Amino acid sequence: MWNLVQQLMFTAAMVAAVGDPAFARAPNLLDCATFPMLIDRFDTMHINKAPRDDARLQAAAEGFLKSHDSTKALFLQSEADLIISSVKGLLSGKQDSCKALGVIGKMRRDAQASIETYVKNTAMEYGLKIDRSIEIQLDTDKRARPKTNAERDALRRKLVHFQLARYVRGGKTLMEAREKLVKRYELFSKRVTEWENADFLDDVVDAYAAVLDPHSTYFSVEQLEDFRINMRLSLEGIGAVLRQDDGFTIVQEIVKGGAADRQGKLKNKDRIIAVGQGRNGETTDVVDMALSDVVRLIRGEKGTEVK
């Protein structure tokens, strides 16, 4: 069994990208200077020749906001309006791209830090019991965006109790649920602090592509890399379906006939805590690492080994 003290060799990943032995993410060339040119290319080359009018910019900005605050618990209405204005400024070219990007990135990181602090303080409050009288609108499109700090805190409190109730209903004790919820927000905050400006720009471009027509999307460098790999079938995995829970990458299912199945010792529910390239390669700690990055470490050219 693959556990904290044992490691197994599998035919699998040697590289994070084709021909690149480094573990680093593929470089993203999208920045505030190249971004306007990319948006112009969408307008000139897309089959939809409709003008880049205010309605299109508004729809793209709202799509970006929803992708980052689907629960409406991060931003007040005034903050949401500022983000929409900044995204529209980015897309229209009427606002300095770097300045608008800086505003968006800072607001997103600050909001994540704020909600993490709130969840910690609320979930770990001494003597806390789940408030079963709470009612919450689950359709977020119908949920009102808070206009004041008090309204936002009230929504966050509802979400905390709702999320705790779901954990308890799933078999956790209340204390386990409280600890799990805090851990969840800590992990996501860690991810947000690791996002680069290009990651926010990726989301803006994807939101813009989505309003052109339902079948348009934008591939970031990493997404394009994954697509090419899938089309060429040049890289393989260990033959296991993975998921994440509390920062751990967990084996959910062993694929029949795959490398892990043939090796025979990796089992469902095993936790992968480190990945090493080659038989004698140094291992990389993958606890709290994003699942997509763990997969990139594991995946590699056929015939190579991963530990």
Side-chain angles (χ1 to χ4, degrees):
M1 180 176 294
W2 198 345
N3 54 33
L4 296 178
V5 296
Q6 294 175 300
Q7 298 170 329
L8 299 174
M9 303 303 297
F10 293 100
T11 301
M14 186 69 174
V15 290
V18 176
D20 182 1
F23 297 155
R25 298 170 62 184
N28 194 335
L29 302 180
L30 187 60
D31 58 26
C32 55
T34 58
F35 172 81
M37 293 183 286
L38 178 59
I39 297 300
D40 287 342
R41 295 277 283 182
F42 266 101
D43 289 341
T44 58
M45 299 185 69
H46 196 276
I47 192 171
N48 184 348
K49 299 299 183 182
R52 197 191 311 174
D53 57 14
D54 188 71
R56 177 184 288 185
L57 297 180
Q58 181 72 24
E62 289 177 355
F64 172 85
L65 177 64
K66 186 173 183 177
S67 71
H68 281 270
D69 188 16
S70 60
T71 65
K72 298 182 179 177
L74 286 180
F75 301 112
L76 300 178
Q77 185 63 60
S78 59
E79 296 168 331
D81 291 342
L82 179 55
I83 289 177
I84 287 176
S85 175
S86 296
V87 172
K88 290 174 68 175
L90 261 174
L91 290 169
S92 67
K94 295 180 180 179
Q95 185 173 349
D96 179 85
S97 297
C98 292
K99 181 178 180 180
L101 184 60
V103 170
I104 294 169
K106 184 178 188 305
M107 290 183 68
R108 182 64 182 88
R109 296 182 183 98
D110 289 349
Q112 188 60 42
S114 170
I115 197 169
E116 180 195 344
T117 298
Y118 183 90
V119 170
K120 282 183 177 179
N121 291 340
T122 303
M124 301 310 292
E125 181 181 349
Y126 179 76
L128 175 73
K129 294 183 179 179
I130 295 176
D131 186 346
R132 299 181 182 275
S133 68
I134 284 179
E135 296 182 357
I136 187 169
Q137 173 59 260
L138 295 181
D139 186 343
T140 56
D141 289 335
K142 296 179 181 179
R143 184 182 297 169
R145 183 173 292 280
K147 294 180 173 59
T148 66
N149 288 326
E151 290 179 357
R152 180 168 57 187
D153 285 350
L155 173 57
R156 289 178 174 180
R157 181 177 180 275
K158 288 182 179 181
L159 287 172
V160 167
H161 282 263
F162 177 72
Q163 290 162 346
L164 288 175
R166 290 183 63 181
Y167 282 138
V168 170
R169 187 173 183 180
K172 302 289 184 183
T173 67
L174 179 56
M175 181 53 69
E176 288 173 338
R178 294 162 72 177
E179 293 172 348
K180 187 178 180 71
L181 186 62
V182 169
K183 180 68 172 178
R184 172 181 167 187
Y185 278 86
E186 287 177 340
L187 288 176
F188 200 68
S189 292
K190 180 177 182 293
R191 305 261 164 79
V192 171
T193 60
E194 293 171 350
W195 287 347
E196 301 173 352
N197 285 344
D199 295 314
F200 292 106
L201 285 177
D202 285 343
D203 292 341
V204 172
V205 178
D206 195 37
Y208 187 69
V211 302
L212 296 177
D213 76 78
H215 309 292
S216 291
T217 189
Y218 167 70
F219 277 9
S220 67
V221 171
E222 291 182 349
Q223 290 169 328
L224 179 59
E225 174 191 317
D226 290 341
F227 177 76
R228 286 172 171 167
I229 287 169
N230 291 333
M231 292 301 291
R232 288 198 305 260
L233 299 178
S234 59
L235 298 186
E236 291 189 352
I238 59 175
V241 178
L242 307 177
R243 65 180 175 86
Q244 278 202 322
D245 186 34
D246 284 346
F248 285 100
T249 298
I250 298 174
V251 178
Q252 179 170 312
E253 179 184 353
I254 302 296
V255 179
K256 293 294 184 183
D261 183 45
R262 295 194 302 272
Q263 204 277 345
K265 293 188 177 180
L266 190 65
K267 304 298 182 184
N268 290 349
K269 299 184 180 180
D270 280 354
R271 295 180 176 185
I272 299 175
I273 62 164
V275 177
Q277 310 305 313
R279 186 172 298 276
N280 300 313
E282 184 177 347
T283 57
T284 300
D285 184 356
V286 298
V287 177
D288 292 347
M289 182 181 289
L291 182 60
S292 59
D293 291 333
V294 178
V295 170
R296 288 187 179 91
L297 290 180
I298 293 173
R299 187 178 57 196
E301 296 178 359
K302 184 176 180 179
T304 56
E305 293 181 331
V306 64
K307 177 169 57 181

